[in-house]
Structures are given as structure tokens and as C-alpha cells.
């Protein structure tokens, strides 16, 4: 993350250009960006960003926060790429056939047994529709991926 970009975004929050973001500036900026959350949530976020607890967010504190958000965004993109490897027909779901195909193409024994693929899908399929959607896939990956399903 480059410092110029962080400073540019910081200035969008620092309305009076004094080098600090106040709670009010932070809240108003979120509203202006179309991010409507409760005052309590705004306070919690602001306090977590304000590492030194002085009631202001400086550019360094903001930079740490911005970096965290950027990393989370990158993780989401990586997760979507992994999901798309399995979702071969791009319908937004991983079926047992798609799972079997990918595992088999990787030369994994588990991919050869239909019942193994059914078991893996069933363990992840929170809504019971016989398929794995992206939300279910993310949850599974956070818990260790397909390897953790034994």
C-alpha cells in the first residue's frame, strides 16, 4: 500500500485538513460514502482505529486501518478465485460433480469416490440445497478447507 494513496484517502475524511480525523468527521464521511451504520458501531470502529486513544485519528493510525481493510479485500478476491476453480460452470455453486472433477484432476483419491464428495459437500452445505455457495465455501476455508472435513 503506498503512502500517497493512504494520504489521499485520509484527506477525504479529514474535512478541515488539520491532520486529524475527529469522530464527527469520520461519521460524516461514512455517511457521505453511503455507509450507514449505527452510532455505536461508528464509535467502536473509531476507537479501534484511534490506537493511542487521544480522540483523533492521525494519518499513521488511519494507514494501519486502511491496510487492514485492503488486506481483507485481497483475501476476499483470493477466496473468490479459489471458489471459481471449483465452480466450473460459473453458476455460483459447487456441486458434488464439480468437486469430484477438480479433485480427480488434481490426482487426489478423494475425488474418485462419489460418496466422499457427497460427504464433503454435505458437511459444508449449511442451507441443505446439495450445493456449496460462496458464503459456505468461505466458512469452510476459514475452518481449514476441504482437508478439515474428515
Amino acid at each position: 500500500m503506498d503512502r500517497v494513496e493512504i494520504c489521499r484517502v485520509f484527506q477525504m475524511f479529514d474535512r478541515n485538513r488539520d491532520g486529524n480525523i475527529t469522530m464527527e468527521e469520520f461519521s460524516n464521511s461514512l455517511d457521505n460514502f453511503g455507509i450507514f451504520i449505527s452510532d455505536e458501531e461508528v464509535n467502536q470502529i473509531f476507537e479501534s482505529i484511534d490506537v493511542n486513544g487521544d480522540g483523533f485519528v492521525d494519518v499513521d493510525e488511519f494507514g494501519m486501518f486502511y491496510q487492514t481493510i485492503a488486506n481483507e479485500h485481497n483475501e476476499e478476491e483470493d477466496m473468490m478465485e479459489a471458489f471459481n476453480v471449483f465452480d466450473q460452470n460459473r453458476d455460483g455453486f459447487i456441486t458434488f460433480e464439480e468437486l469430484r472433477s477438480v479433485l480427480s484432476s488434481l490426482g487426489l483419491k478423494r475425488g474418485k469416490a462419489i460418496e466422499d464428495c457427497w460427504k464433503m459437500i454435505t458437511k459444508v452445505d449449511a442451507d441443505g440445497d446439495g450445493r456449496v455457495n460462496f458464503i459456505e465455501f468461505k466458512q469452510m476455508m476459514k475452518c481449514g478447507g476441504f482437508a478439515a472435513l474428515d
Side-chain angles (χ1 to χ4, degrees), residues 9-10 13-15 18-23 25-26 29 46 55-58 62:
V9 176
F10 178 83
F13 283 84
D14 182 16
R15 300 290 184 171
D18 67 353
N20 289 303
I21 300 170
T22 64
M23 176 74 76
E25 287 173 318
F26 185 71
S29 294
F46 188 85
F56 300 98
V57 173
D58 63 32
F62 186 81

Side-chain angles (χ1 to χ4, degrees), residues 133-145:
N133 63 35
F134 183 60
I135 294 168
E136 293 164 336
F137 181 81
K138 284 193 316 186
Q139 184 61 40
M140 176 202 60
M141 295 303 281
K142 288 178 183 175
C143 295

Side-chain angles (χ1 to χ4, degrees), residues 5-6 17 35 48 51-52 54 56 69 72 103 117 143-144 148:
E5 181 179 350
I6 291 170
R17 305 281 189 250
I35 301 171
S48 73
V51 177
N52 66 9
D54 67 357
F56 300 98
I69 291 173
E72 288 174 6
L103 294 179
C117 292
C143 295

Side-chain angles (χ1 to χ4, degrees), residues 59-78:
V59 71
D60 293 327
E61 291 169 322
F62 186 81
M64 289 186 292
F65 169 69
Y66 192 74
Q67 185 68 44
T68 301
I69 291 173
N71 289 342
E72 288 174 6
H73 178 72
N74 290 339
E75 286 176 21
E76 185 84 4
E77 286 177 356
D78 292 344

Side-chain angles (χ1 to χ4, degrees), residues 2 4 21 33 41 46 59 65 67 81 114 122 142 145 147:
D2 99 15
V4 173
I21 300 170
F33 296 141
E41 289 174 303
F46 188 85
V59 71
F65 169 69
Q67 185 68 44
E81 283 181 37
I114 292 172
T122 304
K142 288 178 183 175

